[in-house]
Amino acid sequence: MKKLIIAIMAVLSLIGTNVNAKTLVVYYSFTNNVKTIVSSLDTKIQADVVEVQPAEEGLDYAANNYAIGSRLIAAIRNNPNDASSYPAIKPTGVNVEEYDYIIVATPLWWSQMAAPMQTFLFENGSKMAGKTIALIVSSASSSISSTVADAKRLIPGGVFVEPNLWIRSAQVSNASAMLDQWLNDIHYNSVATVVDTFSDNHGDDGRMFDLKGRLLQQEPDAGIFIKGGKKILK
Ligand SMILES: Cc1cc2nc3c(=O)[nH]c(=O)nc-3n(C[C@H](O)[C@H](O)[C@H](O)COP(=O)(O)O)c2cc1C
């Protein structure tokens, strides 16, 4: 029996075995918009979901014309390389090194990434080098470009997929449809599938994409890319 199982596994490995990449969704949410978005996302993909929470409970970041939120963001802006600029967060217990694909979902504060999420990435971003990173940002109306820049500063070696998903507060009720479209746009199901497939055994006619989801005009000479819906290592 044992020999039979080993033989079946050997045959399977020859014809190529799909193995799902491990995905982490890490989010912070103050007024629950991002939480609602992530709850919807959680029904669509297989992922571990982790919430970042400030160590200090009960703070109202929006009170007095956003005074606390504004102070936290200013401290990081003034001294982004100093750990003491970042507000403490509760331990999440997550080891980002275990994941291949990390989706970061965050509110925007004063055009920047919300301070508690910046703390999480300040503490963990250097361990995310080489991982595929996708970004979901919610703001009331401000453009998310500075928040994207924060993510790139805090995860210097990340392989960022494009496009990012921007969901305004007023669009949260439409999050499910926006997430469906976005997961399609970033070719999530293809990128998050690792396939034991080598250049002499790859899929047929499908379009080709790089790991950022960009369409490739021709097959690369070497590296990892997606063809026929499969991840190819060449
Ligand atoms: C401290 C603070 C600062 C904010 N600054 C901005 C801003 O500059 N521009 C903007 O469009 N929205 C701003 N917002 C609104 C949030 O980005 C928006 O409501 C978002 O959807 C909140 O997500 P959440 O409910 O998950 O916390 C701010 C909110 C807070 C609490």
Side-chain angles (χ1 to χ4, degrees), residues 23-24 26 96 99-105 113 120-121 124-136 148 150-152 154-165 182 186 188 191 211-213:
T23 298
L24 172 70
V26 57
V96 294
Y99 296 88
D100 313 292
Y101 203 116
I102 300 177
I103 300 177
V104 176
M113 179 181 289
F120 178 84
L121 295 182
N124 292 282
S126 61
K127 291 177 255 170
M128 297 185 193
K131 298 188 186 294
T132 306
I133 311 290
L135 205 55
I136 300 174
V148 174
D150 285 331
K152 293 187 173 168
L154 291 161
I155 315 173
V159 181
F160 284 81
V161 301
E162 286 163 19
N164 308 296
L165 177 59
W182 179 66
I186 62 174
Y188 177 80
V191 177
L211 290 187
K212 292 187 172 187

Side-chain angles (χ1 to χ4, degrees), residues 27-37 60-63 65-73 77 105-112 114-115 137-144 166-170 172:
Y27 78 97
Y28 167 68
S29 185
F30 172 50
T31 50
N32 284 340
N33 287 339
V34 172
K35 195 178 197 119
T36 303
I37 294 163
D60 184 353
Y61 301 104
N65 197 22
Y66 302 93
I68 301 176
S70 166
R71 180 171 50 73
L72 292 176
I73 290 299
R77 256 196 207 143
T106 180
L108 167 153
W109 286 4
W110 297 111
S111 296
Q112 311 294 145
V137 183
S138 181
S139 72
S141 60
S142 297
S143 139
I144 67 169
W166 175 23
I167 301 185
R168 283 172 243 192
S169 326
V172 171

